[in-house]
Amino acid sequence: MPDMAVHLEEQQDPAKQEALRKRNIAFRLNLLFFATFILFSVLVVNLAYLQFVRHDEMKARETSMSSFSTLIAPIRGNIFDRNEYPLAYTESTQSLFFRFEPGQDKDYIVDLAKRVADVFATYGDPDAKPITAEEVIRRMDVGFDLDKKPTKQPGLISRPRRIKEGLSQREIAYFLEHKDEMRGLEITEESIRKYDPNTIAVQLIGYLREFSTASNQTASYLERYRQPNAEYLPDEYVGFDGLELMYQDVLRGKIGRKTYPINAQGRIVGQVEIEYPEKGNNLILSIDKDVQLAAEQAIEEHLEWLRSPEGKKYNEKGTEAVAGYAVAMEVATGHVVAMASIPDYDPNVWRGGISQEEYAEIQWRIANGAIRERYADLPDEERGRHPTSLVPPGSSLKPLSVLIGLNEGLITPTERYHDTGVFVYGRDQSRVRNAGGRGYGSLNATSAIRHSSNTFMAAMIGNRLYMSSKYDNPLDVWDSYMKQFGLGVTTGSGLPGESAGDPYYYKTAETSSKQA
């Protein structure tokens, strides 16, 4: 009982009860402060983690939600001949763009389109094709026409739309002076590709087309434009063939960027930030303009001569020739100083888009027949009756044939052969004849080349190579020499679409015999 009395006494003691209550409050406050400290520490750690560890990720997410970037195409580098004569060059131009801004209703946009068309008509080039208000609002891509009737679904609201390139100085002055009245218009510097009007080596140099066109092609050499990370403007002109394509990355330069702040509706709400593009590098070729023009002129004059009465006396079939190709190289260096493919065309036709009629007119002249197969520029009903640019080497192969014979020990330099004008071989008595069936009598290797004797090459080299027992497959021996002289293989130039040629002798062996 005494213990219980003491306990009751403590419970009834007000001073002790107050002390106990204060201890409980202090404990709870300490617990609260400790919990707050823990929570605050966790918050600080998380903030530090986001700030230092995930900074780039958060910044990118913030940018994607609050801004929109458009690319600025760089000024393309120029292409010169070996003496720095410009063959393809870029000229700067000022282009007019439209972009959506808050407060632009349909009435304002229609009035703006009409006013822009009036400016073009008043201050633009009087010799240029006029751009109507209907065309202006179509290029503005707003989703309706001048009557405010719906058209096609517009593209991204935040993407500027090109209305016109190549503004005149008077047009530029007017738009800059009235920019506060014509909200949504901006002038941007762009570049236009031009080619020498003398059409110098046009197939070798190549041409440009819009990225939106290039990226939709299936050709393997245009695969770079189909990559998901390719940063190009849809209407940016890119290399589509020739050196323009081969050196696309060198000539293009570095892309620029405009970053616009936008709201949740995708409308621009602030000042643009600009990262300026860097101009592309220039390209100096081994091509010599004067040699190139001489080669092109020589082909054109020879084609004209073949069609003349005098040419018909020499070769009647030559009167139907419509194309010619030539490559000139420096013997000491291997540099190509001319590469001609005739007929050619004016590649400036690609600038600003090409109509179906214009393409139909040049489609058989675009390919470089000096490095790939090209069909004759003739009507469809006649084209199949003419050879392509891929033809057998003919008598130009005779010096190489003699070299094979000498190197393989099939003939000697002084060995004689009696040329009767015909050589008979095989079980079926197949025949090889000289041109016109003419016999040249006693020949050695040198005189056989001089007279272009088909029978000497067949009897003394081809047939002996076939009959020799030291070769498992004489065609492989022949083919190895062809490839050493660059026949049946690409040159290694890297030019897009280059053909390795056609080792037709393997097909002949399958359809006839190895001896043939």
Side-chain angles (χ1 to χ4, degrees), residues 287-302:
I287 293 293
D288 186 302
K289 169 184 69 75
D290 296 328
V291 178
Q292 177 71 31
L293 288 174
E296 294 174 0
Q297 183 178 355
I299 295 174
E300 291 171 346
E301 291 177 350
H302 190 64

Side-chain angles (χ1 to χ4, degrees), residues 110-127:
V110 169
D111 290 340
L112 181 64
K114 293 178 179 179
R115 187 171 178 183
V116 167
D118 289 340
V119 174
F120 291 160
T122 305
Y123 300 105
D125 183 356
D127 297 327

Side-chain angles (χ1 to χ4, degrees), residues 307 361 386 393 402 514:
R307 292 189 289 266
E361 185 177 342
H386 287 254
V402 168
K514 291 182 179 180

